[in-house]
Amino acid sequence: MKKIGVFTSGGDSPGMNAALRAVVRAAVYYDLEVVGIYRGFEGMIDKDFEPLSARSVNHILPRGGTILKSARCPAFMEKAGRLQAYDNLRSEGIDAVVAIGGDGTFTGAMIFEEEFGLPMIGIPGTIDNDLYGTDYTLGFDTANNTAMEAIDKIRDTARSHNRLFFVEVMGRDSGFIAAHTGVATGAVAIVVPEREMSVDELGEILERSKSHHKSSSIVVVAEGGRTGGATALAEKIKSRYPEYDTKVTILGHLQRGGSPTLNDRLLASKLGLAAVEGLRDGKSSAMVGLINNKVVYTPFKDAISDKLRLDKEWLRIADILST
Ligand code: F6P
């Protein structure tokens, strides 16, 4: 192996740049050439490549987003697109690739390696924390801190006006961000896809908290919640309890930006180095992750199919402490 490619793909997440830096610096350390592939699979198909040196990644460690840009690429789902991508990688002399992204990225990488035999290693970069084979994904900690700070601010105004706020956080179909930020901000209730909560049950929680003299409350709602997100849930509660002064805040893409936290920078540095060392050791079609602080390589097929399950203990803690 003489030359590796690296790309970021799917939804960006804080820490992707730090991981890119680690991959490039580790490759240079091991005398490998590195090529940056812009816009994920799209740039692979368009041959949007640039050689990267140790100096190309100066000062990107604390920066949010991804300097390689990111995209979701329908053309890569077609065999013709993947063949074009393979031809481009081979003509550039790329022997192996590091993919930084989430489940969609790893699905593409897995199929690509199966078809063309080009080794691929993945680094989990998504705020959703929904991959099996790592305790945490890159960006999850930063997104949680961003959401926590935002909810703390909403709390100030909620308290001043005795209001009930429904705050929607990201996570696609997983409730990790909701569960963690809900506990960290003292939410009265947390609504996540992993646990059924009817409008009646939520209503009972709100009524109980009112009877405990709470004058303002925050309900943290995961965007993939079964009740249809914060807006739908707030409307249902409002029609049943018109006396509540109800407001909705959707935090949205705010959660995807910002400088990565210390934890995300450490994770990115460790996994970036481990990705390059894994390729040198002959590992491929696998995601590198950290479990109990140990580097672990999990086959792509397991990382994407066996989702990391939310630790329901967080919900129990929130239920008890929010009374
Ligand atoms: O996967 C990361 C994520 O931010 C999800 O939490 C969210 O559902 C989705 O991406 C949003 O995607 P997009 O940026 O394409 O709207």
Side-chain angles (χ1 to χ4, degrees), residues 10-13 72 102-103 125-128 130 169-173 177 223 252-253 255-256:
D12 62 349
S13 70
R72 306 193 198 272
D103 54 358
T126 164
I127 63 166
D128 300 339
D130 59 350
V169 295
M170 276 187 166
R172 205 179 288 275
D173 50 7
I177 298 178
E223 64 177 353
H253 288 79
Q255 296 158 95
R256 288 246 294 265

PDB file of all heavy atoms in Angstrom, residues 10-13 72 102-103 125-128 130 169-173 177 223 252-253 255-256, ligand 1:
ATOM      1  N   GLY A  10     -22.098  11.951   3.819  1.00  0.00           N
ATOM      2  CA  GLY A  10     -23.311  11.987   4.635  1.00  0.00           C
ATOM      3  C   GLY A  10     -23.395  13.309   5.395  1.00  0.00           C
ATOM      4  O   GLY A  10     -22.713  14.274   5.056  1.00  0.00           O
ATOM      5  N   GLY A  11     -24.218  13.343   6.427  1.00  0.00           N
ATOM      6  CA  GLY A  11     -24.344  14.575   7.221  1.00  0.00           C
ATOM      7  C   GLY A  11     -23.019  14.896   7.910  1.00  0.00           C
ATOM      8  O   GLY A  11     -22.415  14.015   8.509  1.00  0.00           O
ATOM      9  N   ASP A  12     -22.558  16.139   7.779  1.00  0.00           N
ATOM     10  CA  ASP A  12     -21.281  16.473   8.441  1.00  0.00           C
ATOM     11  C   ASP A  12     -21.441  16.411   9.963  1.00  0.00           C
ATOM     12  O   ASP A  12     -22.560  16.429  10.482  1.00  0.00           O
ATOM     13  CB  ASP A  12     -20.781  17.862   7.997  1.00  0.00           C
ATOM     14  CG  ASP A  12     -21.739  18.978   8.382  1.00  0.00           C
ATOM     15  OD1 ASP A  12     -22.877  18.690   8.807  1.00  0.00           O
ATOM     16  OD2 ASP A  12     -21.355  20.151   8.249  1.00  0.00           O
ATOM     17  N   SER A  13     -20.304  16.299  10.643  1.00  0.00           N
ATOM     18  CA  SER A  13     -20.373  16.291  12.113  1.00  0.00           C
ATOM     19  C   SER A  13     -19.084  16.884  12.666  1.00  0.00           C
ATOM     20  O   SER A  13     -18.020  16.713  12.070  1.00  0.00           O
ATOM     21  CB  SER A  13     -20.597  14.875  12.654  1.00  0.00           C
ATOM     22  OG  SER A  13     -19.456  14.084  12.457  1.00  0.00           O
ATOM     23  N   ARG A  72     -24.702  13.696  -0.172  1.00  0.00           N
ATOM     24  CA  ARG A  72     -25.365  12.397  -0.279  1.00  0.00           C
ATOM     25  C   ARG A  72     -25.481  12.159  -1.791  1.00  0.00           C
ATOM     26  O   ARG A  72     -25.893  13.060  -2.521  1.00  0.00           O
ATOM     27  CB  ARG A  72     -26.733  12.428   0.388  1.00  0.00           C
ATOM     28  CG  ARG A  72     -26.662  12.911   1.868  1.00  0.00           C
ATOM     29  CD  ARG A  72     -27.959  12.642   2.609  1.00  0.00           C
ATOM     30  NE  ARG A  72     -28.089  13.441   3.838  1.00  0.00           N
ATOM     31  CZ  ARG A  72     -27.632  13.064   5.032  1.00  0.00           C
ATOM     32  NH1 ARG A  72     -26.997  11.934   5.173  1.00  0.00           N
ATOM     33  NH2 ARG A  72     -27.831  13.838   6.099  1.00  0.00           N
ATOM     34  N   GLY A 102     -21.416   8.033   8.182  1.00  0.00           N
ATOM     35  CA  GLY A 102     -22.359   7.233   8.971  1.00  0.00           C
ATOM     36  C   GLY A 102     -22.807   5.985   8.233  1.00  0.00           C
ATOM     37  O   GLY A 102     -22.093   5.488   7.347  1.00  0.00           O
ATOM     38  N   ASP A 103     -24.005   5.502   8.548  1.00  0.00           N
ATOM     39  CA  ASP A 103     -24.418   4.199   8.016  1.00  0.00           C
ATOM     40  C   ASP A 103     -24.561   4.188   6.493  1.00  0.00           C
ATOM     41  O   ASP A 103     -24.190   3.208   5.848  1.00  0.00           O
ATOM     42  CB  ASP A 103     -25.681   3.671   8.722  1.00  0.00           C
ATOM     43  CG  ASP A 103     -26.833   4.660   8.705  1.00  0.00           C
ATOM     44  OD1 ASP A 103     -26.657   5.779   8.174  1.00  0.00           O
ATOM     45  OD2 ASP A 103     -27.904   4.315   9.218  1.00  0.00           O
ATOM     46  N   GLY A 125     -18.519   9.038  11.740  1.00  0.00           N
ATOM     47  CA  GLY A 125     -18.725  10.481  11.871  1.00  0.00           C
ATOM     48  C   GLY A 125     -20.189  10.807  11.665  1.00  0.00           C
ATOM     49  O   GLY A 125     -20.673  10.846  10.542  1.00  0.00           O
ATOM     50  N   THR A 126     -20.915  10.952  12.745  1.00  0.00           N
ATOM     51  CA  THR A 126     -22.328  11.352  12.684  1.00  0.00           C
ATOM     52  C   THR A 126     -22.735  11.817  14.071  1.00  0.00           C
ATOM     53  O   THR A 126     -22.275  11.257  15.076  1.00  0.00           O
ATOM     54  CB  THR A 126     -23.251  10.190  12.239  1.00  0.00           C
ATOM     55  OG1 THR A 126     -24.611  10.535  12.571  1.00  0.00           O
ATOM     56  CG2 THR A 126     -22.940   8.876  12.937  1.00  0.00           C
ATOM     57  N   ILE A 127     -23.595  12.822  14.106  1.00  0.00           N
ATOM     58  CA  ILE A 127     -24.048  13.284  15.432  1.00  0.00           C
ATOM     59  C   ILE A 127     -25.047  12.308  16.051  1.00  0.00           C
ATOM     60  O   ILE A 127     -25.358  12.401  17.225  1.00  0.00           O
ATOM     61  CB  ILE A 127     -24.681  14.700  15.365  1.00  0.00           C
ATOM     62  CG1 ILE A 127     -25.943  14.706  14.496  1.00  0.00           C
ATOM     63  CG2 ILE A 127     -23.664  15.731  14.912  1.00  0.00           C
ATOM     64  CD1 ILE A 127     -26.792  15.962  14.665  1.00  0.00           C
ATOM     65  N   ASP A 128     -25.555  11.361  15.242  1.00  0.00           N
ATOM     66  CA  ASP A 128     -26.673  10.524  15.711  1.00  0.00           C
ATOM     67  C   ASP A 128     -26.286   9.421  16.700  1.00  0.00           C
ATOM     68  O   ASP A 128     -27.145   8.886  17.398  1.00  0.00           O
ATOM     69  CB  ASP A 128     -27.378   9.869  14.512  1.00  0.00           C
ATOM     70  CG  ASP A 128     -27.948  10.895  13.540  1.00  0.00           C
ATOM     71  OD1 ASP A 128     -28.150  12.043  13.959  1.00  0.00           O
ATOM     72  OD2 ASP A 128     -28.190  10.539  12.377  1.00  0.00           O
ATOM     73  N   ASP A 130     -25.602   6.397  16.112  1.00  0.00           N
ATOM     74  CA  ASP A 130     -26.457   5.234  15.838  1.00  0.00           C
ATOM     75  C   ASP A 130     -25.723   4.086  15.151  1.00  0.00           C
ATOM     76  O   ASP A 130     -26.307   3.364  14.355  1.00  0.00           O
ATOM     77  CB  ASP A 130     -27.665   5.669  14.986  1.00  0.00           C
ATOM     78  CG  ASP A 130     -27.235   6.282  13.665  1.00  0.00           C
ATOM     79  OD1 ASP A 130     -26.033   6.553  13.482  1.00  0.00           O
ATOM     80  OD2 ASP A 130     -28.110   6.492  12.809  1.00  0.00           O
ATOM     81  N   VAL A 169     -34.861  17.817  18.934  1.00  0.00           N
ATOM     82  CA  VAL A 169     -33.444  17.634  18.628  1.00  0.00           C
ATOM     83  C   VAL A 169     -33.296  16.600  17.507  1.00  0.00           C
ATOM     84  O   VAL A 169     -34.214  15.831  17.234  1.00  0.00           O
ATOM     85  CB  VAL A 169     -32.632  17.196  19.876  1.00  0.00           C
ATOM     86  CG1 VAL A 169     -32.630  18.274  20.939  1.00  0.00           C
ATOM     87  CG2 VAL A 169     -33.139  15.864  20.431  1.00  0.00           C
ATOM     88  N   MET A 170     -32.121  16.591  16.890  1.00  0.00           N
ATOM     89  CA  MET A 170     -31.876  15.670  15.772  1.00  0.00           C
ATOM     90  C   MET A 170     -31.583  14.251  16.264  1.00  0.00           C
ATOM     91  O   MET A 170     -31.576  13.995  17.463  1.00  0.00           O
ATOM     92  CB  MET A 170     -30.718  16.177  14.920  1.00  0.00           C
ATOM     93  CG  MET A 170     -31.131  17.207  13.892  1.00  0.00           C
ATOM     94  SD  MET A 170     -29.755  17.593  12.805  1.00  0.00           S
ATOM     95  CE  MET A 170     -30.612  18.449  11.489  1.00  0.00           C
ATOM     96  N   GLY A 171     -31.278  13.374  15.326  1.00  0.00           N
ATOM     97  CA  GLY A 171     -30.948  11.988  15.667  1.00  0.00           C
ATOM     98  C   GLY A 171     -31.524  10.991  14.685  1.00  0.00           C
ATOM     99  O   GLY A 171     -31.400   9.793  14.874  1.00  0.00           O
ATOM    100  N   ARG A 172     -32.194  11.507  13.669  1.00  0.00           N
ATOM    101  CA  ARG A 172     -32.875  10.652  12.688  1.00  0.00           C
ATOM    102  C   ARG A 172     -33.796   9.684  13.420  1.00  0.00           C
ATOM    103  O   ARG A 172     -34.668  10.131  14.156  1.00  0.00           O
ATOM    104  CB  ARG A 172     -31.851   9.905  11.825  1.00  0.00           C
ATOM    105  CG  ARG A 172     -32.396   9.503  10.475  1.00  0.00           C
ATOM    106  CD  ARG A 172     -31.358   8.796   9.638  1.00  0.00           C
ATOM    107  NE  ARG A 172     -30.334   9.693   9.165  1.00  0.00           N
ATOM    108  CZ  ARG A 172     -30.429  10.439   8.072  1.00  0.00           C
ATOM    109  NH1 ARG A 172     -31.515  10.393   7.351  1.00  0.00           N
ATOM    110  NH2 ARG A 172     -29.451  11.233   7.703  1.00  0.00           N
ATOM    111  N   ASP A 173     -33.586   8.365  13.318  1.00  0.00           N
ATOM    112  CA  ASP A 173     -34.508   7.466  14.029  1.00  0.00           C
ATOM    113  C   ASP A 173     -33.948   6.972  15.356  1.00  0.00           C
ATOM    114  O   ASP A 173     -34.396   5.973  15.898  1.00  0.00           O
ATOM    115  CB  ASP A 173     -34.921   6.285  13.135  1.00  0.00           C
ATOM    116  CG  ASP A 173     -33.723   5.604  12.496  1.00  0.00           C
ATOM    117  OD1 ASP A 173     -32.580   5.964  12.867  1.00  0.00           O
ATOM    118  OD2 ASP A 173     -33.917   4.724  11.641  1.00  0.00           O
ATOM    119  N   ILE A 177     -29.462  11.786  21.261  1.00  0.00           N
ATOM    120  CA  ILE A 177     -29.272  13.203  21.616  1.00  0.00           C
ATOM    121  C   ILE A 177     -30.395  13.627  22.565  1.00  0.00           C
ATOM    122  O   ILE A 177     -30.155  14.316  23.566  1.00  0.00           O
ATOM    123  CB  ILE A 177     -29.229  14.097  20.358  1.00  0.00           C
ATOM    124  CG1 ILE A 177     -28.043  13.701  19.470  1.00  0.00           C
ATOM    125  CG2 ILE A 177     -29.131  15.574  20.748  1.00  0.00           C
ATOM    126  CD1 ILE A 177     -27.936  14.483  18.177  1.00  0.00           C
ATOM    127  N   GLU A 223     -36.417  13.939  16.901  1.00  0.00           N
ATOM    128  CA  GLU A 223     -37.120  14.206  15.629  1.00  0.00           C
ATOM    129  C   GLU A 223     -37.798  12.953  15.066  1.00  0.00           C
ATOM    130  O   GLU A 223     -38.796  13.060  14.366  1.00  0.00           O
ATOM    131  CB  GLU A 223     -36.161  14.788  14.588  1.00  0.00           C
ATOM    132  CG  GLU A 223     -35.037  13.842  14.181  1.00  0.00           C
ATOM    133  CD  GLU A 223     -34.132  14.409  13.095  1.00  0.00           C
ATOM    134  OE1 GLU A 223     -34.433  15.480  12.543  1.00  0.00           O
ATOM    135  OE2 GLU A 223     -33.100  13.775  12.813  1.00  0.00           O
ATOM    136  N   GLY A 252     -32.635  21.827  14.990  1.00  0.00           N
ATOM    137  CA  GLY A 252     -32.186  21.616  13.617  1.00  0.00           C
ATOM    138  C   GLY A 252     -30.680  21.584  13.426  1.00  0.00           C
ATOM    139  O   GLY A 252     -29.930  21.093  14.274  1.00  0.00           O
ATOM    140  N   HIS A 253     -30.245  22.159  12.301  1.00  0.00           N
ATOM    141  CA  HIS A 253     -28.852  22.012  11.876  1.00  0.00           C
ATOM    142  C   HIS A 253     -27.849  22.754  12.741  1.00  0.00           C
ATOM    143  O   HIS A 253     -26.639  22.539  12.602  1.00  0.00           O
ATOM    144  CB  HIS A 253     -28.707  22.419  10.405  1.00  0.00           C
ATOM    145  CG  HIS A 253     -29.310  21.419   9.478  1.00  0.00           C
ATOM    146  ND1 HIS A 253     -30.653  21.355   9.249  1.00  0.00           N
ATOM    147  CD2 HIS A 253     -28.755  20.404   8.764  1.00  0.00           C
ATOM    148  CE1 HIS A 253     -30.914  20.355   8.405  1.00  0.00           C
ATOM    149  NE2 HIS A 253     -29.778  19.758   8.108  1.00  0.00           N
ATOM    150  N   GLN A 255     -27.240  21.990  15.488  1.00  0.00           N
ATOM    151  CA  GLN A 255     -26.565  20.899  16.218  1.00  0.00           C
ATOM    152  C   GLN A 255     -25.420  20.269  15.434  1.00  0.00           C
ATOM    153  O   GLN A 255     -24.629  19.514  15.975  1.00  0.00           O
ATOM    154  CB  GLN A 255     -27.580  19.789  16.556  1.00  0.00           C
ATOM    155  CG  GLN A 255     -28.663  20.238  17.479  1.00  0.00           C
ATOM    156  CD  GLN A 255     -29.907  19.362  17.371  1.00  0.00           C
ATOM    157  OE1 GLN A 255     -30.078  18.432  18.139  1.00  0.00           O
ATOM    158  NE2 GLN A 255     -30.769  19.657  16.413  1.00  0.00           N
ATOM    159  N   ARG A 256     -25.360  20.541  14.144  1.00  0.00           N
ATOM    160  CA  ARG A 256     -24.320  19.909  13.324  1.00  0.00           C
ATOM    161  C   ARG A 256     -23.037  20.739  13.253  1.00  0.00           C
ATOM    162  O   ARG A 256     -22.013  20.252  12.775  1.00  0.00           O
ATOM    163  CB  ARG A 256     -24.865  19.665  11.917  1.00  0.00           C
ATOM    164  CG  ARG A 256     -25.889  18.554  11.856  1.00  0.00           C
ATOM    165  CD  ARG A 256     -25.379  17.378  11.043  1.00  0.00           C
ATOM    166  NE  ARG A 256     -25.217  17.741   9.671  1.00  0.00           N
ATOM    167  CZ  ARG A 256     -26.137  17.533   8.714  1.00  0.00           C
ATOM    168  NH1 ARG A 256     -27.271  16.950   9.029  1.00  0.00           N
ATOM    169  NH2 ARG A 256     -25.898  17.873   7.482  1.00  0.00           N
TER     170      ARG A 256
HETATM  171  O1  F6P B   1     -27.503  12.029  10.272  1.00  0.00           O
HETATM  172  C1  F6P B   1     -27.278  13.304  10.785  1.00  0.00           C
HETATM  173  C2  F6P B   1     -28.508  14.159  10.646  1.00  0.00           C
HETATM  174  O2  F6P B   1     -28.212  15.448  11.143  1.00  0.00           O
HETATM  175  C3  F6P B   1     -29.767  13.604  11.316  1.00  0.00           C
HETATM  176  O3  F6P B   1     -29.779  13.807  12.709  1.00  0.00           O
HETATM  177  C4  F6P B   1     -30.840  14.336  10.564  1.00  0.00           C
HETATM  178  O4  F6P B   1     -32.039  13.618  10.577  1.00  0.00           O
HETATM  179  C5  F6P B   1     -30.282  14.412   9.172  1.00  0.00           C
HETATM  180  O5  F6P B   1     -28.878  14.281   9.281  1.00  0.00           O
HETATM  181  C6  F6P B   1     -30.594  15.677   8.425  1.00  0.00           C
HETATM  182  O6  F6P B   1     -30.110  15.532   7.134  1.00  0.00           O
HETATM  183  P1  F6P B   1     -29.919  16.745   6.119  1.00  0.00           P
HETATM  184  O7  F6P B   1     -28.788  17.592   6.585  1.00  0.00           O
HETATM  185  O8  F6P B   1     -29.641  16.102   4.805  1.00  0.00           O
HETATM  186  O9  F6P B   1     -31.199  17.527   6.145  1.00  0.00           O
END
